[in-house]
Amino acid sequence: MKERRRVTIRDVADAAGVSVATVSRVMSGSLKVNPEMAERVRRATEELEYRPNGAAQGLASGMHRSVGVVLPDLSNPYFHGIIKATNVGAARDGYRMLVTEWQEPGEELGVCLDVLSRVDGLLVLSARMETDGLRDLAARGVPTVLVNRVELGVDLPMVAVDNFSPMLELCQHLASLGHRRVVYLAGSPGAWQNRERWKAVQQARILGLDPVMVASDATIEAGYEATDEALGHDPTALIAFNDLAALGAVARLRELGLKTPEDISVTGFDDVALARYADPALTTIVSPKAALGEQAWVMLEASLRGERLEQPPLLSATFVQRASTGPAKGSRT
Amino acid sequence: MKERRRVTIRDVADAAGVSVATVSRVMSGSLKVNPEMAERVRRATEELEYRPNGAAQGLASGMHRSVGVVLPDLSNPYFHGIIKATNVGAARDGYRMLVTEWQEPGEELGVCLDVLSRVDGLLVLSARMETDGLRDLAARGVPTVLVNRVELGVDLPMVAVDNFSPMLELCQHLASLGHRRVVYLAGSPGAWQNRERWKAVQQARILGLDPVMVASDATIEAGYEATDEALGHDPTALIAFNDLAALGAVARLRELGLKTPEDISVTGFDDVALARYADPALTTIVSPKAALGEQAWVMLEASLRGERLEQPPLLSATFVQRASTGPAKGSRT
DNA sequence: AAGATCTGAGTAAACGCTCTCTAGGAGGGC
DNA sequence: GCCCTCCTAGAGAGCGTTTACTCAGATCTT
């Protein structure tokens, strides 16, 4: 394992018979360089298999050409759809994306700041991170974009999906099936998305729904575990915070001998890949993950350039009925 | 958005009335420093909210204190379990983990090398990356650990789960239920794991199985789509490459009016979270994801220190019977 | 045709940190 | 009491790039 010295820009310069500055110019695609020289440089680069040192570039230019993504849970497929789209945008613009999972709240700002020593900007998908931390980031002028999190007191660009309207639509669907007593399996208490969804569910009282909230979370396990308590309220339908929780709930119901949707209806949110393939296929809300990720990148890229794009409106999500909802048991609809 | 200048080590040094060298020593935890001074430095650090510049540290020390993880598909939950464990190990040892998803083969070595300009080592979870690329990495002396990929011609440490034995056990289970004609829904053709699993399935001829291979992949969609072709072979059981494909297959079967396991049995591999919650709960192989991720880190960490640990044996996975397998239709078992 | 302007390549100063080397004070041996 | 060793803190040389600047030669102006 001989420690062969890294080939630096200097080596390339020597090999091509030019100065390091010229090599740097060629690498960065500056037009002000003699084509013949550029060609020589390119050949030398190739031959020596030169790879610029990212750290040095970052130090010298103050730009790292990479952005950090902070999210609470890597295993939630909902995030995949988003960051995949973000990634193609970033790649297109020559940026690298570094994903960091972080769960414990309180620590998050620290992590962000730490990550920041190697990135130019941040995408915050984390619902749990305290508002103070965000405000701090905003105050520091760190290019940051909030995803699916609308914070009024924070001066940061944000992109988000409309949670309220589609959830209301979903409730309407439930109401039209004759449901009345429903339980909302909540997501993370502080999360904006959770507040919005719950708000919509409460609003649905006007449609005749009589909702109760039960604490849960955005995971299969949490949905599974919250189901027993939910059943205590004797509901005809379970409105889960997201698809994962819905899947967990369905599994627990099945275990208890309750069939979905015959005995009890269950709804999800997000439309992750599994939702369609589950049994029963989940009635849920199709969240525009790709569009969200794309827009997040556009906003972030602008921030990186010091530009501040106009705050875009909420993206709309659409309700889709599948097999996990049916007429309320005991209703004559 | 005033561009407030970053606080550097020099600022801290000035504030504490010491030299930058001393600050650096305090930060790195060197013991050779007067406690009183150390305290002063620490206080200054705190007050100024000093954060060392990662790029500069990387440049100066040649260490980035971070490792790159290259994986083919962020949405496969199997990887989450692994990298989660790796991450805690890395964090414990003061390393940051950068996840990079990369799909197109051919490009992968380039990406690795590129990522390498900012990391100290690599964890390769990507089954598709060409062997040549790996050999190249090995030749360059880049600290790299291969996960779930055993390459005999490559001189790199690897950690992997035993695929063969548990798969054979699974086949035995199927055989004992009276199955004979089975279809193996294959994973990525070049992948080591795929070869191992298929080898085991073929070996199971000795148990009376009569296996056929059908091309598919490690995703729900691929499992779903390969099912029709699989049915052409009139099997009594489907052995999917992994849980995702199995889930896809079950979904397609249901669509076709075939019940699992009454009409046809289906098995998975990996035991992702969903496997247990799906309907029917998947008979599958429990892969020790956490142990794998942990061991991968241990090996990598040793490589980073220039040490080469002894090649560990394959980790063992265990077969678990759940509800997706039953007696072969038409068998009297 | 001489001075002004422009082009494009080279020189060298950062960038923020680490780490070797040096200096000087404290402590110890004789 | 003097010299030598030990130990700690500071000075400063990089680390590999980028990016003003500088400067020579070419192209214009009139």
Side-chain angles (χ1 to χ4, degrees), chain A residues 159-235:
Chain A
V159 302
V161 168
D162 178 14
N163 283 255
F164 189 86
S165 324
M167 185 54 114
L168 202 54
E169 197 178 342
L170 182 150
C171 289
Q172 167 111 51
H173 161 73
L174 251 24
S176 76
L177 286 169
H179 292 276
R180 234 182 100 62
R181 290 184 317 280
V182 302
V183 168
Y184 173 67
L185 298 179
S188 194
W192 173 77
Q193 300 206 89
N194 183 51
R195 289 199 303 274
E196 289 290 303
R197 294 177 195 180
W198 173 230
K199 223 163 60 186
V201 173
Q202 284 177 294
Q203 184 93 329
R205 282 182 200 283
I206 208 168
L207 303 169
L209 251 46
D210 180 15
V212 180
M213 174 157 90
V214 162
S216 179
D217 205 349
T219 64
I220 297 193
E221 289 79 5
Y224 179 92
E225 276 154 23
T227 301
D228 287 20
E229 184 185 342
L231 290 178
H233 296 282
D234 192 28

Coordinates of all heavy atoms in Angstrom, one line a residue, chain A residues 159-235:
Chain A
V159 N -40.3 26.1 0.8 CA -41.2 25.5 -0.2 C -41.9 24.4 0.6 O -41.4 23.7 1.4 CB -40.4 24.8 -1.3 CG1 -39.5 25.8 -2.0 CG2 -39.6 23.7 -0.9
A160 N -43.2 24.3 0.3 CA -44.0 23.3 1.0 C -45.2 22.9 0.2 O -45.6 23.6 -0.8 CB -44.4 23.9 2.3
V161 N -45.8 21.8 0.6 CA -46.9 21.3 0.0 C -48.1 21.7 0.8 O -48.1 21.8 2.0 CB -46.9 19.8 -0.1 CG1 -48.2 19.2 -0.5 CG2 -45.8 19.3 -1.1
D162 N -49.2 22.0 0.1 CA -50.4 22.4 0.8 C -51.0 21.1 1.5 O -51.3 20.1 0.9 CB -51.5 22.9 -0.2 CG -52.8 23.2 0.5 OD1 -52.8 23.3 1.7 OD2 -53.8 23.4 -0.2
N163 N -51.0 21.1 2.8 CA -51.5 20.0 3.5 C -53.0 20.1 3.8 O -53.7 19.1 3.9 CB -50.8 19.9 4.9 CG -49.4 19.3 4.7 OD1 -49.1 18.2 5.1 ND2 -48.5 20.1 4.2
F164 N -53.4 21.3 4.0 CA -54.7 21.6 4.5 C -55.9 21.2 3.5 O -56.7 20.3 3.8 CB -54.9 23.1 4.8 CG -56.2 23.4 5.5 CD1 -56.3 23.3 6.9 CD2 -57.3 23.9 4.8 CE1 -57.4 23.6 7.5 CE2 -58.4 24.2 5.4 CZ -58.5 24.1 6.8
S165 N -55.8 21.7 2.3 CA -56.9 21.4 1.4 C -57.1 20.0 1.0 O -58.2 19.5 1.1 CB -56.7 22.2 0.1 OG -56.1 23.5 0.3
P166 N -56.0 19.3 0.7 CA -56.2 17.9 0.3 C -56.7 17.1 1.5 O -57.5 16.2 1.4 CB -54.9 17.4 -0.1 CG -53.9 18.4 0.4 CD -54.6 19.7 0.5
M167 N -56.2 17.4 2.7 CA -56.7 16.7 3.9 C -58.2 17.0 4.1 O -58.9 16.0 4.5 CB -55.9 17.2 5.1 CG -56.2 16.4 6.4 SD -56.0 14.6 6.2 CE -54.7 14.3 7.3
L168 N -58.6 18.2 3.8 CA -60.0 18.5 3.9 C -60.8 17.7 2.9 O -61.9 17.1 3.2 CB -60.2 20.0 3.7 CG -61.5 20.6 4.3 CD1 -61.6 20.3 5.8 CD2 -61.6 22.1 4.1
E169 N -60.3 17.5 1.8 CA -60.9 16.8 0.7 C -61.0 15.3 1.1 O -62.1 14.7 0.9 CB -60.1 16.9 -0.6 CG -60.8 16.5 -1.8 CD -59.9 16.7 -3.1 OE1 -58.9 17.4 -3.0 OE2 -60.2 16.0 -4.1
L170 N -60.0 14.8 1.7 CA -60.0 13.5 2.2 C -61.1 13.3 3.3 O -61.8 12.3 3.3 CB -58.6 13.2 2.8 CG -58.3 11.7 3.4 CD1 -56.9 11.4 3.2 CD2 -58.7 11.6 4.8
C171 N -61.2 14.3 4.1 CA -62.3 14.2 5.2 C -63.6 14.2 4.5 O -64.6 13.5 5.0 CB -62.1 15.4 6.1 SG -60.7 15.3 7.2
Q172 N -63.7 15.0 3.5 CA -65.0 15.1 2.8 C -65.4 13.7 2.3 O -66.5 13.3 2.4 CB -64.8 16.1 1.6 CG -65.9 16.0 0.6 CD -66.7 17.3 0.6 OE1 -66.1 18.4 0.6 NE2 -68.0 17.2 0.7
H173 N -64.4 13.1 1.7 CA -64.6 11.7 1.2 C -65.1 10.8 2.3 O -66.0 10.1 2.1 CB -63.2 11.2 0.6 CG -63.1 9.8 0.4 ND1 -63.8 9.1 -0.6 CD2 -62.4 8.8 1.1 CE1 -63.5 7.8 -0.5 NE2 -62.6 7.6 0.6
L174 N -64.4 10.9 3.4 CA -64.8 10.1 4.5 C -66.2 10.4 5.0 O -67.1 9.5 5.2 CB -63.8 10.3 5.7 CG -62.8 9.2 6.1 CD1 -62.5 8.3 5.0 CD2 -61.6 9.9 6.7
A175 N -66.5 11.7 5.0 CA -67.9 12.1 5.5 C -68.9 11.6 4.5 O -70.0 11.1 4.9 CB -67.9 13.6 5.5
S176 N -68.6 11.6 3.2 CA -69.6 11.2 2.2 C -69.8 9.7 2.3 O -70.8 9.2 1.8 CB -69.1 11.6 0.8 OG -68.1 10.7 0.4
L177 N -68.9 9.0 2.9 CA -69.0 7.5 3.1 C -69.8 7.2 4.4 O -69.9 6.1 4.8 CB -67.7 6.8 3.1 CG -67.0 6.7 1.8 CD1 -65.5 6.2 2.0 CD2 -67.7 5.7 0.9
G178 N -70.2 8.3 5.1 CA -70.9 8.1 6.3 C -70.1 8.1 7.6 O -70.7 7.8 8.7
H179 N -68.8 8.4 7.5 CA -68.0 8.3 8.7 C -68.3 9.5 9.6 O -68.6 10.6 9.1 CB -66.6 8.3 8.4 CG -66.1 7.0 7.7 ND1 -65.8 5.9 8.4 CD2 -66.0 6.7 6.4 CE1 -65.5 4.9 7.6 NE2 -65.6 5.4 6.4
R180 N -68.2 9.3 10.9 CA -68.5 10.4 11.8 C -67.4 10.4 12.9 O -66.6 11.3 13.0 CB -69.8 10.2 12.5 CG -70.8 11.4 12.4 CD -72.1 11.1 13.1 NE -72.1 11.8 14.5 CZ -71.9 13.1 14.7 NH1 -71.8 13.9 13.7 NH2 -71.9 13.6 15.9
R181 N -67.3 9.3 13.6 CA -66.3 9.2 14.6 C -65.0 8.8 14.0 O -64.8 7.6 13.6 CB -66.7 8.2 15.7 CG -67.8 8.7 16.6 CD -68.1 7.7 17.7 NE -68.0 6.3 17.2 CZ -69.0 5.7 16.6 NH1 -70.2 6.4 16.4 NH2 -68.9 4.5 16.2
V182 N -64.0 9.7 13.9 CA -62.7 9.4 13.3 C -61.6 9.7 14.3 O -61.7 10.6 15.1 CB -62.5 10.1 12.0 CG1 -63.6 9.8 11.0 CG2 -62.4 11.6 12.2
V183 N -60.5 9.0 14.2 CA -59.3 9.3 15.0 C -58.2 9.7 14.1 O -57.9 9.1 13.1 CB -58.9 8.0 15.8 CG1 -57.6 8.3 16.4 CG2 -59.9 7.7 16.9
Y184 N -57.6 10.8 14.5 CA -56.4 11.3 13.8 C -55.2 10.8 14.5 O -54.9 11.1 15.6 CB -56.4 12.8 13.7 CG -55.2 13.4 13.1 CD1 -54.8 13.2 11.8 CD2 -54.3 14.2 13.9 CE1 -53.7 13.8 11.3 CE2 -53.1 14.7 13.4 CZ -52.8 14.6 12.1 OH -51.7 15.1 11.5
L185 N -54.4 9.9 13.8 CA -53.1 9.4 14.4 C -52.1 10.5 14.1 O -51.6 10.7 12.9 CB -52.7 8.1 13.7 CG -53.7 7.0 13.9 CD1 -53.2 5.7 13.2 CD2 -53.9 6.7 15.4
A186 N -51.7 11.3 15.1 CA -50.9 12.4 14.9 C -49.5 12.1 14.5 O -48.9 11.1 14.8 CB -50.9 13.3 16.2
G187 N -48.8 13.1 13.9 CA -47.4 13.0 13.6 C -46.6 13.7 14.7 O -47.1 13.8 15.9
S188 N -45.5 14.2 14.4 CA -44.6 14.9 15.4 C -45.3 16.1 15.9 O -45.8 17.0 15.1 CB -43.3 15.2 14.7 OG -42.4 15.6 15.7
P189 N -45.5 16.3 17.2 CA -46.3 17.4 17.7 C -46.0 18.8 17.2 O -46.9 19.5 16.9 CB -46.1 17.3 19.2 CG -45.6 15.9 19.5 CD -44.9 15.5 18.2
G190 N -44.7 19.1 17.2 CA -44.4 20.4 16.8 C -44.4 20.7 15.3 O -44.3 21.8 14.9
A191 N -44.5 19.6 14.5 CA -44.3 19.8 13.1 C -45.4 20.5 12.4 O -46.6 20.4 12.7 CB -44.2 18.4 12.4
W192 N -45.0 21.4 11.5 CA -46.0 22.2 10.8 C -47.0 21.4 10.0 O -48.2 21.6 10.1 CB -45.2 23.1 9.8 CG -46.1 23.9 8.9 CD1 -46.8 25.0 9.2 CD2 -46.4 23.6 7.5 NE1 -47.5 25.4 8.1 CE2 -47.3 24.6 7.0 CE3 -46.0 22.6 6.6 CZ2 -47.8 24.6 5.7 CZ3 -46.5 22.6 5.3 CH2 -47.4 23.6 4.9
Q193 N -46.5 20.3 9.4 CA -47.3 19.5 8.6 C -48.4 18.8 9.5 O -49.6 18.7 9.1 CB -46.5 18.4 7.9 CG -45.5 18.9 7.0 CD -45.2 18.0 5.9 OE1 -45.8 18.0 4.8 NE2 -44.2 17.1 6.1
N194 N -48.0 18.4 10.7 CA -48.9 17.8 11.6 C -50.0 18.8 12.0 O -51.2 18.5 12.0 CB -48.2 17.3 12.8 CG -49.1 16.6 13.8 OD1 -49.8 15.7 13.4 ND2 -49.1 17.1 15.1
R195 N -49.6 20.0 12.3 CA -50.6 21.0 12.7 C -51.6 21.3 11.6 O -52.8 21.4 11.8 CB -49.9 22.4 13.0 CG -49.1 22.3 14.3 CD -48.8 23.7 14.8 NE -48.1 24.6 13.9 CZ -46.7 24.6 13.7 NH1 -46.0 23.8 14.5 NH2 -46.2 25.4 12.8
E196 N -51.1 21.4 10.4 CA -51.9 21.7 9.2 C -53.0 20.6 9.0 O -54.1 20.8 8.8 CB -51.1 21.8 7.9 CG -50.3 23.1 7.9 CD -51.2 24.3 7.7 OE1 -51.9 24.3 6.7 OE2 -51.1 25.2 8.6
R197 N -52.4 19.4 9.1 CA -53.3 18.2 8.8 C -54.4 18.1 9.9 O -55.6 17.9 9.6 CB -52.5 16.9 8.7 CG -51.6 16.9 7.5 CD -50.7 15.7 7.4 NE -49.7 16.1 6.4 CZ -48.7 15.2 6.0 NH1 -48.6 14.0 6.5 NH2 -47.8 15.6 5.1
W198 N -54.0 18.3 11.1 CA -55.0 18.3 12.2 C -56.0 19.4 12.1 O -57.2 19.2 12.4 CB -54.2 18.3 13.5 CG -55.0 18.4 14.8 CD1 -54.9 19.3 15.8 CD2 -56.1 17.6 15.2 NE1 -55.8 19.1 16.8 CE2 -56.6 18.0 16.4 CE3 -56.8 16.5 14.6 CZ2 -57.7 17.4 17.1 CZ3 -57.9 15.9 15.2 CH2 -58.3 16.4 16.5
K199 N -55.5 20.5 11.7 CA -56.4 21.7 11.6 C -57.5 21.3 10.6 O -58.7 21.6 10.8 CB -55.6 22.9 11.0 CG -55.9 24.2 11.7 CD -54.8 25.3 11.5 CE -54.6 25.6 10.0 NZ -53.5 26.5 9.8
A200 N -57.1 20.7 9.5 CA -58.0 20.4 8.4 C -59.0 19.3 9.0 O -60.2 19.4 8.7 CB -57.3 19.8 7.2
V201 N -58.5 18.4 9.7 CA -59.4 17.4 10.2 C -60.4 18.0 11.2 O -61.6 17.7 11.2 CB -58.6 16.3 11.0 CG1 -59.5 15.3 11.7 CG2 -57.7 15.5 10.0
Q202 N -59.9 18.9 12.0 CA -60.9 19.6 12.9 C -61.9 20.4 12.1 O -63.1 20.4 12.5 CB -60.1 20.5 13.8 CG -59.4 19.8 14.9 CD -58.6 20.7 15.8 OE1 -57.6 21.3 15.3 NE2 -59.0 20.9 17.0
Q203 N -61.4 21.1 11.1 CA -62.3 21.9 10.3 C -63.4 21.0 9.7 O -64.5 21.5 9.5 CB -61.5 22.4 9.1 CG -62.2 23.3 8.2 CD -62.0 24.8 8.6 OE1 -61.9 25.1 9.8 NE2 -62.1 25.7 7.7
A204 N -63.1 19.8 9.5 CA -64.1 18.8 8.9 C -65.3 18.6 9.9 O -66.2 17.8 9.5 CB -63.4 17.6 8.5
R205 N -65.3 19.1 11.0 CA -66.4 19.0 11.9 C -67.7 19.5 11.2 O -68.8 19.0 11.3 CB -66.3 19.9 13.2 CG -65.4 19.3 14.2 CD -65.3 20.2 15.4 NE -64.1 19.9 16.2 CZ -64.0 18.9 17.0 NH1 -65.1 18.0 17.1 NH2 -62.9 18.7 17.7
I206 N -67.4 20.5 10.4 CA -68.5 21.2 9.6 C -69.1 20.2 8.6 O -70.3 20.4 8.2 CB -67.9 22.4 8.9 CG1 -69.1 23.4 8.7 CG2 -67.3 22.1 7.6 CD1 -68.6 24.8 8.3
L207 N -68.3 19.2 8.3 CA -68.8 18.2 7.4 C -69.5 17.0 8.1 O -69.9 16.0 7.5 CB -67.7 17.6 6.5 CG -66.9 18.6 5.7 CD1 -65.7 18.0 5.1 CD2 -67.8 19.2 4.6
G208 N -69.5 17.2 9.4 CA -70.1 16.1 10.2 C -69.2 15.2 10.9 O -69.6 14.3 11.6
L209 N -67.9 15.4 10.7 CA -66.9 14.5 11.3 C -66.7 14.9 12.8 O -66.9 16.0 13.2 CB -65.5 14.6 10.6 CG -65.1 13.4 9.8 CD1 -66.2 13.0 8.9 CD2 -63.9 13.8 8.9
D210 N -66.4 13.9 13.6 CA -66.2 14.1 15.0 C -64.8 13.5 15.4 O -64.7 12.4 15.8 CB -67.3 13.4 15.8 CG -67.1 13.6 17.3 OD1 -66.4 14.5 17.7 OD2 -67.8 12.8 18.0
P211 N -63.8 14.3 15.1 CA -62.4 13.8 15.2 C -61.8 13.9 16.6 O -62.1 14.8 17.4 CB -61.7 14.7 14.3 CG -62.4 16.0 14.4 CD -63.8 15.7 14.7
V212 N -61.0 12.9 16.9 CA -60.2 12.8 18.1 C -58.8 12.6 17.7 O -58.5 11.9 16.7 CB -60.6 11.6 19.0 CG1 -59.8 11.6 20.3 CG2 -62.1 11.6 19.3
M213 N -57.9 13.2 18.4 CA -56.4 13.1 18.1 C -55.8 12.1 19.1 O -56.0 12.1 20.3 CB -55.7 14.4 18.2 CG -54.2 14.3 18.0 SD -53.5 15.8 17.4 CE -53.1 16.5 19.0
V214 N -55.0 11.2 18.5 CA -54.2 10.3 19.3 C -52.8 10.4 19.0 O -52.4 10.5 17.8 CB -54.7 8.8 19.1 CG1 -53.7 7.8 19.6 CG2 -56.0 8.6 19.8
A215 N -51.9 10.5 20.0 CA -50.5 10.7 19.7 C -49.9 9.5 19.0 O -50.3 8.3 19.3 CB -49.8 10.9 21.0
S216 N -49.1 9.7 18.0 CA -48.4 8.7 17.3 C -47.2 9.3 16.6 O -46.6 10.2 17.2 CB -49.4 8.1 16.2 OG -48.7 7.1 15.5
D217 N -46.8 8.8 15.5 CA -45.6 9.4 14.8 C -45.6 9.0 13.4 O -46.5 8.2 12.9 CB -44.3 9.0 15.5 CG -43.2 10.0 15.3 OD1 -43.4 10.9 14.4 OD2 -42.2 9.9 15.9
A218 N -44.6 9.4 12.7 CA -44.6 9.2 11.2 C -43.9 7.8 10.8 O -43.3 7.7 9.8 CB -43.8 10.3 10.6
T219 N -44.0 6.8 11.6 CA -43.4 5.6 11.3 C -44.4 4.4 11.4 O -45.5 4.5 12.0 CB -42.3 5.2 12.3 OG1 -42.8 5.0 13.6 CG2 -41.3 6.3 12.3
I220 N -44.1 3.3 10.7 CA -44.9 2.1 10.8 C -45.2 1.7 12.2 O -46.3 1.5 12.6 CB -44.2 1.0 10.0 CG1 -44.0 1.3 8.6 CG2 -45.1 -0.3 10.2 CD1 -43.7 0.1 7.7
E221 N -44.1 1.6 12.9 CA -44.2 1.2 14.3 C -45.1 2.0 15.1 O -46.0 1.5 15.9 CB -42.8 1.2 15.0 CG -41.8 0.1 14.5 CD -41.2 0.5 13.1 OE1 -41.4 1.6 12.6 OE2 -40.5 -0.3 12.6
A222 N -45.0 3.3 15.0 CA -45.8 4.3 15.8 C -47.3 4.1 15.4 O -48.2 4.1 16.3 CB -45.4 5.7 15.5
G223 N -47.5 3.9 14.1 CA -48.9 3.7 13.7 C -49.5 2.4 14.3 O -50.6 2.4 14.7
Y224 N -48.7 1.4 14.2 CA -49.0 0.1 14.8 C -49.4 0.3 16.3 O -50.4 -0.2 16.7 CB -47.9 -0.8 14.6 CG -48.1 -2.2 15.2 CD1 -48.6 -3.2 14.3 CD2 -47.7 -2.5 16.5 CE1 -48.7 -4.5 14.8 CE2 -47.9 -3.8 17.0 CZ -48.4 -4.8 16.1 OH -48.6 -6.1 16.6
E225 N -48.5 0.9 17.0 CA -48.7 1.0 18.4 C -49.8 2.0 18.8 O -50.4 1.8 19.9 CB -47.4 1.5 19.1 CG -46.5 0.3 19.3 CD -45.0 0.7 19.4 OE1 -44.7 1.9 19.6 OE2 -44.2 -0.2 19.1
A226 N -50.1 3.0 18.1 CA -51.2 3.9 18.4 C -52.5 3.4 18.2 O -53.5 3.9 18.7 CB -51.0 5.2 17.7
T227 N -52.6 2.3 17.4 CA -53.9 1.8 17.0 C -54.8 1.4 18.1 O -56.0 1.7 18.1 CB -53.7 0.7 16.0 OG1 -53.0 1.2 14.9 CG2 -55.1 0.1 15.5
D228 N -54.3 0.7 19.1 CA -55.1 0.2 20.2 C -55.8 1.4 20.9 O -56.9 1.3 21.2 CB -54.2 -0.6 21.2 CG -53.9 -1.9 20.6 OD1 -53.9 -2.1 19.4 OD2 -53.5 -2.8 21.4
E229 N -55.0 2.4 21.2 CA -55.5 3.6 21.9 C -56.6 4.2 21.0 O -57.7 4.6 21.5 CB -54.5 4.6 22.2 CG -55.1 5.8 23.0 CD -54.1 6.9 23.2 OE1 -52.8 6.6 23.1 OE2 -54.5 8.0 23.5
A230 N -56.3 4.3 19.7 CA -57.3 4.9 18.8 C -58.6 4.1 18.8 O -59.7 4.7 18.9 CB -56.7 4.8 17.4
L231 N -58.5 2.8 18.9 CA -59.8 2.0 18.9 C -60.6 2.3 20.1 O -61.8 2.0 20.1 CB -59.4 0.5 18.8 CG -58.8 0.1 17.4 CD1 -58.5 -1.4 17.4 CD2 -59.8 0.4 16.3
G232 N -60.0 2.7 21.2 CA -60.7 3.0 22.4 C -61.7 4.1 22.2 O -62.7 4.2 22.9
H233 N -61.5 4.9 21.1 CA -62.5 5.9 20.8 C -63.6 5.4 19.9 O -64.4 6.2 19.4 CB -61.8 7.1 20.2 CG -60.8 7.8 21.1 ND1 -61.2 8.6 22.1 CD2 -59.5 7.7 21.2 CE1 -60.1 9.0 22.8 NE2 -59.1 8.5 22.3
D234 N -63.5 4.2 19.6 CA -64.6 3.5 18.8 C -64.8 4.2 17.4 O -66.0 4.6 17.1 CB -65.9 3.5 19.6 CG -66.9 2.6 18.9 OD1 -66.5 1.6 18.2 OD2 -68.1 2.8 19.1
P235 N -63.8 4.4 16.7 CA -63.9 5.2 15.4 C -64.3 4.2 14.3 O -64.2 3.0 14.4 CB -62.5 5.7 15.1 CG -61.6 4.6 15.7 CD -62.4 4.0 16.9

